[in-house]
Amino acid sequence: MKKIAILGSTGSIGTQTLEIVREQKDIEVLGISAGSNVKLLEQQIREFKPRLACIWTEADAKDLRVRLKDLNVRILSGMEGLIELAVMEEVEILVTAIVGMIGIRPTIAAIEHGKTIALANKETLVTAGHIIMPLAKKNNVPIYPVDSEHSAIFQSLNGENPKEIEKLLLTASGGPFRGKTMEELQHVGVKDALKHPNWSMGRKITIDSATLVNKGLEVIEAKWLFDIEPERIEVVVQPQSIIHSMVQYVDGGIMAQLGTPDMKLPIQYALYYPERRALGGKRVNFFELGQMTFEKPDTKNFRGLDLAYRAITQGGSMPTVFNAANEKAVALFLDGKIRFLQIAELIETAMDAHKIIDAPDVTQILETEEATYDVISTQFLK
Ligand code: NAD
Ligand code: MG
């Protein structure tokens, strides 16, 4: 039996990870955690019988302890709980399916305890990649990407020499607003932004896909995962989302991974690497598909991507500002407090206001996050 724990078991990636557990029958789930969905967490605990579960507030944890008094499960709360879950003794793989920078500390703790990381939580690598990657190397801990593009690149690197990479071609769907003019983008609302054409995902990443910020975060994520300069990472819009990303080698050869858009493939691949397990679901039918098309990303109307390149080029604490400003702006947008185009504006304002700290440690990263939230709140109240 493979032994895993999941940060964020009630979300889009978390629940799909549990579907794989259900189907494969040879994975034991020792720990799970959620932000606030007490009901679903209770159901998951009853079904998967973990030894430890964690929910963010102590009030919710108390509630869960009462609901689950017939079971032998420890219920913890807060950051301490997440860290305890991340380092559970028998756990081999930690699936980081939590959203946001809250994943930094538990991911670091897991690496220090030698756990393999199946990484979905891209915000952690974007802001703390300079800490996490060397730490993983030092502790001889593999980090397997769950993000579909990075999994595709990882698969396209099988048996190849990474020194022979010319560039990475990161594919993007273009999101629900691809092709819209600036004028049209003035009027788009939350509901429109939540309608992703190809992928069903959590709310935050779905908005990030509409702004192209997600692709920006993924460029930074790819830089850290594959140790490659951002200039050698090119974004290619492929609206059908069949090619999940590609690697171009020095001889001009290109390796790609294709498939229907289904996150279960990259999740399962990360859990079983290097083995491929059977997975049901639709297959690509090239005759039905007919054609695949390619475009340059529209960086004029969707400024998230260029802001990400700027953040990673400036480096230090700037990617944290990019990410934190986006997290805050997306939350305001989802609350109906700002318009779609203001997301990129607020990110830029926060980046302009920031004085870069070189190689920030975790405390400095989290302080930068707080300071960025403050900048956005002040800006927003103006
Ligand atoms: P989601 O919003 O559906 O789920 C987030 C999970 O994190 C939930 O289980 C939630 O309860 C948990 N969580 C939030 N705050 C918490 C807290 N304070 N304490 C404990 N748990 C907390 O998000 P998602 O779409 O599953 O995305 C998760 C991560 O995976 C993100 O970093 C995202 O960028 C990345 N990712 C997601 C997809 C996808 O298809 N959904 C694809 C690629 C990458
Ligand atoms: Mg992705």
Side-chain angles (χ1 to χ4, degrees):
M1 293 290 266
K2 233 178 233 306
K3 294 182 168 57
I4 70 165
I6 308 171
L7 294 175
S9 61
T10 56
S12 163
I13 296 289
T15 51
Q16 292 181 86
T17 305
L18 289 173
E19 278 176 39
I20 291 166
V21 171
R22 214 179 265 133
E23 287 157 15
Q24 294 294 336
K25 301 189 190 347
D26 62 352
I27 299 177
E28 195 179 340
V29 183
L30 297 184
I32 56 179
S33 71
S36 58
N37 193 339
V38 175
K39 262 196 168 161
L40 181 55
L41 192 62
E42 180 188 350
Q43 276 176 27
Q44 292 180 339
I45 293 169
R46 293 198 178 280
E47 179 177 354
F48 296 96
K49 310 246 169 357
R51 289 180 211 163
L52 190 79
C54 180
I55 191 135
W56 187 243
T57 69
E58 182 51 28
D60 282 341
K62 277 195 179 128
D63 180 15
L64 259 181
R65 284 183 203 115
V66 175
R67 287 163 177 261
L68 291 162
K69 57 177 181 302
D70 56 312
L71 289 187
N72 187 14
V73 53
R74 277 179 72 213
I75 312 278
L76 302 177
S77 64
M79 183 50 74
E80 270 171 39
L82 290 179
I83 291 177
E84 204 169 322
L85 183 141
V87 306
M88 284 178 80
E89 203 176 319
E90 285 175 55
V91 165
E92 297 157 53
I93 305 177
L94 179 72
V95 181
T96 64
I98 199 164
V99 57
M101 290 165 66
I102 194 166
I104 297 176
R105 284 194 192 277
T107 305
I108 289 178
I111 295 171
E112 285 171 342
H113 284 74
K115 313 295 181 198
T116 295
I117 308 291
L119 185 135
N121 178 219
K122 64 188 81 178
E123 296 89 352
T124 285
L125 264 195
V126 166
T127 55
H130 60 289
I131 298 171
I132 286 175
M133 294 314 292
L135 192 68
K137 202 167 174 192
K138 185 177 143 212
N139 288 280
N140 216 356
V141 162
I143 298 185
Y144 297 133
V146 167
D147 211 344
S148 58
E149 295 77 2
H150 305 74
S151 176
I153 291 168
F154 184 56
Q155 292 176 58
S156 302
L157 282 164
N158 264 338
E160 304 284 351
N161 181 351
K163 291 204 178 81
E164 292 161 3
I165 299 175
E166 193 164 76
K167 64 178 177 181
L168 303 181
L169 298 159
L170 201 66
T171 52
S173 69
F177 301 146
R178 182 177 61 89
K180 281 207 188 304
T181 61
M182 200 51 133
E183 168 57 24
E184 288 168 324
L185 289 175
Q186 309 270 9
H187 308 293
V188 296
V190 175
K191 265 197 187 155
D192 313 307
L194 284 174
K195 275 188 216 134
H196 196 281
N198 305 326
W199 294 95
S200 150
M201 310 180 285
R203 283 158 67 85
K204 191 241 167 198
I205 184 174
T206 305
I207 303 301
D208 290 350
S209 301
T211 55
L212 283 198
V213 165
N214 182 51
K215 212 45 60 181
L217 294 171
E218 290 183 350
V219 167
I220 307 177
E221 186 185 8
K223 175 214 144 67
W224 291 118
L225 278 172
F226 305 111
D227 189 21
I228 193 158
E229 315 84 83
E231 304 80 61
R232 290 202 291 147
I233 306 173
E234 186 176 7
V235 174
V236 179
V237 176
Q238 198 277 285
Q240 296 80 19
S241 295
I242 297 294
I243 302 180
H244 299 313
S245 279
M246 309 178 253
V247 180
Q248 181 171 314
Y249 290 94
V250 286
D251 60 357
I254 295 172
M255 305 298 282
Q257 186 254 332
L258 285 70
T260 46
D262 180 356
M263 283 309 296
K264 277 166 76 178
L265 190 157
I267 300 171
Q268 186 169 290
Y269 194 76
L271 291 175
Y272 286 101
Y273 176 81
E275 189 186 346
R276 275 188 196 273
R277 286 278 176 106
L279 178 65
K282 255 187 106 182
R283 302 301 194 234
V284 175
N285 180 328
F286 286 104
F287 308 108
E288 264 174 31
L289 181 67
Q291 59 175 351
M292 284 189 276
T293 54
F294 302 92
E295 295 166 19
K296 278 204 160 154
D298 173 0
T299 51
K300 249 191 171 158
N301 292 340
F302 300 88
R303 298 179 48 240
L305 186 56
D306 279 355
L307 287 168
Y309 275 106
R310 174 183 151 194
I312 192 60
T313 307
Q314 292 184 313
S317 50
M318 199 52 104
T320 297
V321 176
F322 171 77
N323 181 66
N326 177 60
E327 285 190 18
K328 185 81 179 171
V330 169
L332 289 170
F333 174 69
L334 285 169
D335 276 354
K337 299 209 168 106
I338 61 169
R339 284 174 295 106
F340 180 75
L341 289 172
Q342 281 178 285
I343 298 176
E345 283 168 23
L346 287 179
I347 298 174
E348 188 170 39
T349 306
M351 286 173 68
D352 287 346
H354 181 64
K355 202 166 162 288
I356 297 177
I357 308 165
D358 286 328
D361 60 22
V362 175
T363 309
Q364 288 170 317
I365 291 172
L366 298 176
E367 281 169 5
T368 302
E369 177 189 29
E370 281 306 315
T372 305
Y373 288 170
D374 288 347
V375 170
I376 302 266
S377 303
T378 337
Q379 180 70 21
F380 171 66
L381 289 174
K382 262 191 201 161

